[in-house]
PDB file of all heavy atoms in Angstrom:
ATOM      1  N   GLU Z 122     -17.013 -13.190  31.077  1.00  0.00           N
ATOM      2  CA  GLU Z 122     -17.763 -13.570  29.870  1.00  0.00           C
ATOM      3  C   GLU Z 122     -17.593 -15.040  29.539  1.00  0.00           C
ATOM      4  O   GLU Z 122     -18.446 -15.630  28.871  1.00  0.00           O
ATOM      5  CB  GLU Z 122     -17.272 -12.734  28.685  1.00  0.00           C
ATOM      6  CG  GLU Z 122     -17.827 -11.336  28.681  1.00  0.00           C
ATOM      7  CD  GLU Z 122     -18.063 -10.880  27.267  1.00  0.00           C
ATOM      8  OE1 GLU Z 122     -19.021 -11.385  26.642  1.00  0.00           O
ATOM      9  OE2 GLU Z 122     -17.292 -10.030  26.778  1.00  0.00           O
ATOM     10  N   LEU Z 123     -16.486 -15.639  29.956  1.00  0.00           N
ATOM     11  CA  LEU Z 123     -16.232 -17.039  29.608  1.00  0.00           C
ATOM     12  C   LEU Z 123     -16.882 -18.001  30.615  1.00  0.00           C
ATOM     13  O   LEU Z 123     -17.276 -19.101  30.251  1.00  0.00           O
ATOM     14  CB  LEU Z 123     -14.719 -17.310  29.573  1.00  0.00           C
ATOM     15  CG  LEU Z 123     -13.993 -16.736  28.344  1.00  0.00           C
ATOM     16  CD1 LEU Z 123     -12.489 -16.811  28.529  1.00  0.00           C
ATOM     17  CD2 LEU Z 123     -14.414 -17.473  27.079  1.00  0.00           C
ATOM     18  N   LEU Z 124     -17.010 -17.563  31.872  1.00  0.00           N
ATOM     19  CA  LEU Z 124     -17.529 -18.461  32.903  1.00  0.00           C
ATOM     20  C   LEU Z 124     -18.918 -19.025  32.602  1.00  0.00           C
ATOM     21  O   LEU Z 124     -19.173 -20.193  32.888  1.00  0.00           O
ATOM     22  CB  LEU Z 124     -17.541 -17.757  34.269  1.00  0.00           C
ATOM     23  CG  LEU Z 124     -16.226 -17.763  35.044  1.00  0.00           C
ATOM     24  CD1 LEU Z 124     -16.362 -16.984  36.335  1.00  0.00           C
ATOM     25  CD2 LEU Z 124     -15.773 -19.203  35.355  1.00  0.00           C
ATOM     26  N   PRO Z 125     -19.820 -18.241  32.017  1.00  0.00           N
ATOM     27  CA  PRO Z 125     -21.145 -18.794  31.746  1.00  0.00           C
ATOM     28  C   PRO Z 125     -21.168 -19.791  30.583  1.00  0.00           C
ATOM     29  O   PRO Z 125     -22.172 -20.457  30.377  1.00  0.00           O
ATOM     30  CB  PRO Z 125     -21.997 -17.560  31.376  1.00  0.00           C
ATOM     31  CG  PRO Z 125     -21.175 -16.381  31.706  1.00  0.00           C
ATOM     32  CD  PRO Z 125     -19.764 -16.817  31.701  1.00  0.00           C
ATOM     33  N   LEU Z 126     -20.091 -19.870  29.830  1.00  0.00           N
ATOM     34  CA  LEU Z 126     -20.075 -20.772  28.669  1.00  0.00           C
ATOM     35  C   LEU Z 126     -19.724 -22.189  29.096  1.00  0.00           C
ATOM     36  O   LEU Z 126     -18.974 -22.389  30.049  1.00  0.00           O
ATOM     37  CB  LEU Z 126     -19.054 -20.280  27.630  1.00  0.00           C
ATOM     38  CG  LEU Z 126     -19.390 -18.965  26.956  1.00  0.00           C
ATOM     39  CD1 LEU Z 126     -18.241 -18.520  26.083  1.00  0.00           C
ATOM     40  CD2 LEU Z 126     -20.661 -19.131  26.137  1.00  0.00           C
ATOM     41  N   PRO Z 127     -20.235 -23.157  28.365  1.00  0.00           N
ATOM     42  CA  PRO Z 127     -19.915 -24.549  28.722  1.00  0.00           C
ATOM     43  C   PRO Z 127     -18.521 -24.940  28.249  1.00  0.00           C
ATOM     44  O   PRO Z 127     -18.373 -25.762  27.352  1.00  0.00           O
ATOM     45  CB  PRO Z 127     -21.007 -25.340  27.987  1.00  0.00           C
ATOM     46  CG  PRO Z 127     -21.372 -24.496  26.828  1.00  0.00           C
ATOM     47  CD  PRO Z 127     -21.142 -23.075  27.229  1.00  0.00           C
ATOM     48  N   VAL Z 128     -17.506 -24.345  28.823  1.00  0.00           N
ATOM     49  CA  VAL Z 128     -16.138 -24.704  28.475  1.00  0.00           C
ATOM     50  C   VAL Z 128     -15.376 -25.047  29.744  1.00  0.00           C
ATOM     51  O   VAL Z 128     -15.732 -24.600  30.832  1.00  0.00           O
ATOM     52  CB  VAL Z 128     -15.395 -23.556  27.759  1.00  0.00           C
ATOM     53  CG1 VAL Z 128     -15.967 -23.298  26.390  1.00  0.00           C
ATOM     54  CG2 VAL Z 128     -15.404 -22.291  28.611  1.00  0.00           C
ATOM     55  N   ARG Z 129     -14.337 -25.861  29.607  1.00  0.00           N
ATOM     56  CA  ARG Z 129     -13.439 -26.102  30.740  1.00  0.00           C
ATOM     57  C   ARG Z 129     -12.408 -24.996  30.745  1.00  0.00           C
ATOM     58  O   ARG Z 129     -11.672 -24.840  29.772  1.00  0.00           O
ATOM     59  CB  ARG Z 129     -12.753 -27.447  30.585  1.00  0.00           C
ATOM     60  CG  ARG Z 129     -13.640 -28.609  30.867  1.00  0.00           C
ATOM     61  CD  ARG Z 129     -12.806 -29.889  30.777  1.00  0.00           C
ATOM     62  NE  ARG Z 129     -13.567 -31.008  31.266  1.00  0.00           N
ATOM     63  CZ  ARG Z 129     -14.565 -31.559  30.594  1.00  0.00           C
ATOM     64  NH1 ARG Z 129     -14.881 -31.121  29.402  1.00  0.00           N
ATOM     65  NH2 ARG Z 129     -15.237 -32.581  31.085  1.00  0.00           N
ATOM     66  N   LEU Z 130     -12.391 -24.260  31.846  1.00  0.00           N
ATOM     67  CA  LEU Z 130     -11.572 -23.056  31.896  1.00  0.00           C
ATOM     68  C   LEU Z 130     -10.427 -23.249  32.886  1.00  0.00           C
ATOM     69  O   LEU Z 130     -10.612 -23.786  33.981  1.00  0.00           O
ATOM     70  CB  LEU Z 130     -12.479 -21.910  32.367  1.00  0.00           C
ATOM     71  CG  LEU Z 130     -12.197 -20.514  31.882  1.00  0.00           C
ATOM     72  CD1 LEU Z 130     -12.245 -20.455  30.376  1.00  0.00           C
ATOM     73  CD2 LEU Z 130     -13.256 -19.562  32.463  1.00  0.00           C
ATOM     74  N   VAL Z 131      -9.232 -22.831  32.503  1.00  0.00           N
ATOM     75  CA  VAL Z 131      -8.121 -22.727  33.447  1.00  0.00           C
ATOM     76  C   VAL Z 131      -7.631 -21.286  33.373  1.00  0.00           C
ATOM     77  O   VAL Z 131      -7.402 -20.767  32.294  1.00  0.00           O
ATOM     78  CB  VAL Z 131      -6.963 -23.686  33.069  1.00  0.00           C
ATOM     79  CG1 VAL Z 131      -5.757 -23.431  33.969  1.00  0.00           C
ATOM     80  CG2 VAL Z 131      -7.404 -25.138  33.187  1.00  0.00           C
ATOM     81  N   VAL Z 132      -7.502 -20.651  34.546  1.00  0.00           N
ATOM     82  CA  VAL Z 132      -7.038 -19.266  34.556  1.00  0.00           C
ATOM     83  C   VAL Z 132      -5.534 -19.252  34.798  1.00  0.00           C
ATOM     84  O   VAL Z 132      -5.050 -19.827  35.776  1.00  0.00           O
ATOM     85  CB  VAL Z 132      -7.763 -18.453  35.643  1.00  0.00           C
ATOM     86  CG1 VAL Z 132      -7.116 -17.089  35.812  1.00  0.00           C
ATOM     87  CG2 VAL Z 132      -9.244 -18.305  35.264  1.00  0.00           C
ATOM     88  N   ALA Z 133      -4.794 -18.634  33.877  1.00  0.00           N
ATOM     89  CA  ALA Z 133      -3.357 -18.461  34.051  1.00  0.00           C
ATOM     90  C   ALA Z 133      -3.114 -17.036  34.526  1.00  0.00           C
ATOM     91  O   ALA Z 133      -3.289 -16.089  33.766  1.00  0.00           O
ATOM     92  CB  ALA Z 133      -2.625 -18.730  32.740  1.00  0.00           C
ATOM     93  N   LEU Z 134      -2.758 -16.910  35.803  1.00  0.00           N
ATOM     94  CA  LEU Z 134      -2.556 -15.586  36.390  1.00  0.00           C
ATOM     95  C   LEU Z 134      -1.120 -15.178  36.113  1.00  0.00           C
ATOM     96  O   LEU Z 134      -0.199 -15.567  36.841  1.00  0.00           O
ATOM     97  CB  LEU Z 134      -2.829 -15.660  37.899  1.00  0.00           C
ATOM     98  CG  LEU Z 134      -2.720 -14.362  38.682  1.00  0.00           C
ATOM     99  CD1 LEU Z 134      -3.809 -13.397  38.299  1.00  0.00           C
ATOM    100  CD2 LEU Z 134      -2.772 -14.654  40.184  1.00  0.00           C
ATOM    101  N   ASN Z 135      -0.941 -14.397  35.056  1.00  0.00           N
ATOM    102  CA  ASN Z 135       0.412 -14.060  34.582  1.00  0.00           C
ATOM    103  C   ASN Z 135       0.875 -12.721  35.155  1.00  0.00           C
ATOM    104  O   ASN Z 135       0.091 -11.982  35.740  1.00  0.00           O
ATOM    105  CB  ASN Z 135       0.412 -14.011  33.047  1.00  0.00           C
ATOM    106  CG  ASN Z 135       1.808 -14.085  32.481  1.00  0.00           C
ATOM    107  OD1 ASN Z 135       2.721 -14.642  33.092  1.00  0.00           O
ATOM    108  ND2 ASN Z 135       1.999 -13.515  31.303  1.00  0.00           N
ATOM    109  N   MET Z 136       2.142 -12.421  34.972  1.00  0.00           N
ATOM    110  CA  MET Z 136       2.729 -11.135  35.379  1.00  0.00           C
ATOM    111  C   MET Z 136       2.631 -10.903  36.869  1.00  0.00           C
ATOM    112  O   MET Z 136       2.477  -9.764  37.326  1.00  0.00           O
ATOM    113  CB  MET Z 136       2.055  -9.978  34.640  1.00  0.00           C
ATOM    114  CG  MET Z 136       2.056 -10.152  33.148  1.00  0.00           C
ATOM    115  SD  MET Z 136       2.487  -8.626  32.340  1.00  0.00           S
ATOM    116  CE  MET Z 136       2.408  -9.128  30.627  1.00  0.00           C
ATOM    117  N   VAL Z 137       2.728 -11.970  37.658  1.00  0.00           N
ATOM    118  CA  VAL Z 137       2.688 -11.753  39.105  1.00  0.00           C
ATOM    119  C   VAL Z 137       3.928 -10.986  39.570  1.00  0.00           C
ATOM    120  O   VAL Z 137       3.898 -10.349  40.611  1.00  0.00           O
ATOM    121  CB  VAL Z 137       2.550 -13.101  39.879  1.00  0.00           C
ATOM    122  CG1 VAL Z 137       1.172 -13.671  39.705  1.00  0.00           C
ATOM    123  CG2 VAL Z 137       3.594 -14.089  39.448  1.00  0.00           C
ATOM    124  N   ASP Z 138       4.978 -11.031  38.771  1.00  0.00           N
ATOM    125  CA  ASP Z 138       6.161 -10.229  39.131  1.00  0.00           C
ATOM    126  C   ASP Z 138       5.840  -8.737  39.091  1.00  0.00           C
ATOM    127  O   ASP Z 138       6.221  -7.978  39.998  1.00  0.00           O
ATOM    128  CB  ASP Z 138       7.341 -10.552  38.201  1.00  0.00           C
ATOM    129  CG  ASP Z 138       7.009 -10.329  36.729  1.00  0.00           C
ATOM    130  OD1 ASP Z 138       5.831 -10.505  36.361  1.00  0.00           O
ATOM    131  OD2 ASP Z 138       7.916  -9.970  35.955  1.00  0.00           O
ATOM    132  N   VAL Z 139       5.128  -8.333  38.070  1.00  0.00           N
ATOM    133  CA  VAL Z 139       4.751  -6.919  37.967  1.00  0.00           C
ATOM    134  C   VAL Z 139       3.809  -6.551  39.103  1.00  0.00           C
ATOM    135  O   VAL Z 139       3.946  -5.499  39.748  1.00  0.00           O
ATOM    136  CB  VAL Z 139       4.072  -6.632  36.614  1.00  0.00           C
ATOM    137  CG1 VAL Z 139       3.757  -5.155  36.477  1.00  0.00           C
ATOM    138  CG2 VAL Z 139       4.955  -7.089  35.460  1.00  0.00           C
ATOM    139  N   ALA Z 140       2.854  -7.435  39.378  1.00  0.00           N
ATOM    140  CA  ALA Z 140       1.870  -7.165  40.429  1.00  0.00           C
ATOM    141  C   ALA Z 140       2.570  -7.003  41.779  1.00  0.00           C
ATOM    142  O   ALA Z 140       2.241  -6.089  42.532  1.00  0.00           O
ATOM    143  CB  ALA Z 140       0.845  -8.292  40.483  1.00  0.00           C
ATOM    144  N   SER Z 141       3.537  -7.858  42.090  1.00  0.00           N
ATOM    145  CA  SER Z 141       4.153  -7.755  43.408  1.00  0.00           C
ATOM    146  C   SER Z 141       5.052  -6.528  43.470  1.00  0.00           C
ATOM    147  O   SER Z 141       5.195  -5.924  44.530  1.00  0.00           O
ATOM    148  CB  SER Z 141       4.930  -9.026  43.764  1.00  0.00           C
ATOM    149  OG  SER Z 141       5.988  -9.220  42.868  1.00  0.00           O
ATOM    150  N   ARG Z 142       5.617  -6.132  42.319  1.00  0.00           N
ATOM    151  CA  ARG Z 142       6.429  -4.921  42.321  1.00  0.00           C
ATOM    152  C   ARG Z 142       5.541  -3.693  42.590  1.00  0.00           C
ATOM    153  O   ARG Z 142       5.958  -2.729  43.214  1.00  0.00           O
ATOM    154  CB  ARG Z 142       7.126  -4.773  40.974  1.00  0.00           C
ATOM    155  CG  ARG Z 142       8.469  -4.113  41.085  1.00  0.00           C
ATOM    156  CD  ARG Z 142       9.318  -4.122  39.852  1.00  0.00           C
ATOM    157  NE  ARG Z 142       8.658  -4.146  38.597  1.00  0.00           N
ATOM    158  CZ  ARG Z 142       8.781  -5.137  37.717  1.00  0.00           C
ATOM    159  NH1 ARG Z 142       9.496  -6.195  38.020  1.00  0.00           N
ATOM    160  NH2 ARG Z 142       8.166  -5.089  36.558  1.00  0.00           N
TER     161      ARG Z 142
END
Side-chain angles (χ1 to χ4, degrees):
Chain Z
E122 282 215 72
L123 286 169
L124 277 178
L126 293 174
V128 292
R129 285 184 170 74
L130 211 59
V131 173
V132 170
L134 182 68
N135 197 27
M136 306 224 179
V137 289
D138 57 330
V139 183
S141 63
R142 212 170 29 242

